[in-house]
Amino acid sequence: MRHFTIFFLIFILYSCHHEQKTNPSIVSAHQINDVNKKPVQISLLDSVTTLFKQNPEFIAKGFDFPVGKPNAKGYYNAQKFGKNYHLGDDWNAVTGGNSDLGDPIYSIASGYVHFAENIGGGWGNVIRVWHKTHDNKVIESLYAHCDTIMVSSGQFIDKGQQIATIGNADGIYLAHLHFEIRDDITLPVGQGYSENIDGYTDPTAFIKANRKP
């Protein structure tokens, strides 16, 4: 009886060891740790970089102003970046009032439209464009309070292409373009004003520093 019990235990141990070797559903702790160290994740930045790698003709070749192209002729910056915690520039026609309602808005550089919708509230029609620069950076330009939108999400566009017209967010403001440049492309639309400027950059300073590649 004792010999039979020992034989039975040996048989059970051998069977378990054999199953661990042959059953692919059994994974060691070491294997699990290895898998956890190598997650398959693609960041937004990686995706956008790949997008432009596949479409290099739309990599930005210099930046112009979004109104009165290329040098904002006939417009002035009514509320500059940083004033009253403003996260962008407000472009108005020098003629004042609603005289610029319906004036053209241009893309500051070649890029990819990833958002073009009316989100209501104080924003109205908003367009967001990704740009890949010649020095391999990715930035975003944002155009808000538009009267009409002339591009669609998922569309590549050229520098100087008209993408919208100046609006007033359905009458909330006098007509003007609220314009932002972000160096963090993961930011939400946001509030337009904040003490925290992380991820935002001075639009006018950026354009002046990047007129040509």
Side-chain angles (χ1 to χ4, degrees):
M1 181 68 180
R2 181 181 176 187
H3 291 296
F4 175 77
T5 302
I6 294 172
F7 174 79
F8 181 74
L9 289 173
I10 293 172
F11 175 77
I12 293 296
L13 288 171
Y14 172 79
S15 298
C16 291
H17 179 69
H18 179 70
E19 182 181 8
Q20 187 173 15
K21 281 186 174 181
T22 58
N23 190 339
S25 66
I26 297 177
V27 184
S28 70
H30 177 70
Q31 288 173 305
I32 292 173
N33 287 338
D34 284 347
V35 171
N36 289 338
K37 287 178 182 178
K38 299 176 183 178
V40 180
Q41 295 180 348
I42 300 175
S43 72
L44 176 60
L45 183 60
D46 289 337
S47 297
V48 175
T49 299
T50 299
L51 181 71
F52 282 102
K53 186 175 181 180
Q54 295 170 345
N55 299 273
E57 65 273 26
F58 293 101
I59 293 175
K61 299 176 178 65
F63 291 79
D64 290 337
F65 286 92
V67 291
K69 73 172 184 181
N71 299 315
K73 183 178 181 181
Y75 294 83
Y76 72 103
N77 190 353
Q79 186 171 211
K80 298 179 180 180
F81 179 82
K83 184 179 181 180
N84 302 317
Y85 306 117
H86 198 222
L87 295 174
D89 288 339
D90 280 348
W91 286 101
N92 290 70
V94 295
T95 46
N98 277 319
S99 61
D100 49 0
L101 182 64
D103 281 5
I105 299 170
Y106 306 101
S107 177
I108 60 171
S110 297
Y112 179 84
V113 179
H114 73 94
F115 186 92
E117 295 181 20
N118 187 335
I119 60 174
W123 284 101
N125 285 316
V126 175
I127 299 172
R128 302 174 69 178
V129 181
W130 289 323
H131 308 279
K132 175 80 178 294
T133 67
H134 68 282
D135 54 353
N136 293 319
K137 295 178 182 177
V138 178
I139 66 161
E140 178 187 66
S141 58
L142 179 147
Y143 313 76
H145 315 327
C146 304
D147 189 47
T148 57
I149 293 176
M150 304 175 68
V151 290
S152 301
S153 178
Q155 178 181 345
F156 283 97
I157 54 176
D158 295 313
K159 179 172 76 171
Q161 178 177 335
Q162 185 174 352
I163 59 174
T165 58
I166 292 177
N168 54 19
D170 296 322
I172 295 178
Y173 318 109
L174 289 176
H176 69 281
L177 169 65
H178 174 83
F179 173 67
E180 297 178 3
I181 293 181
R182 291 114 172 263
D183 50 24
D184 180 353
I185 65 171
T186 67
L187 294 174
V189 170
Q191 301 297 320
Y193 293 84
S194 177
E195 293 184 45
N196 182 3
I197 62 172
D198 290 347
Y200 296 84
T201 190
D202 184 328
T204 294
F206 178 88
I207 291 173
K208 287 182 176 180
N210 293 275
R211 296 310 300 268
K212 294 182 179 180

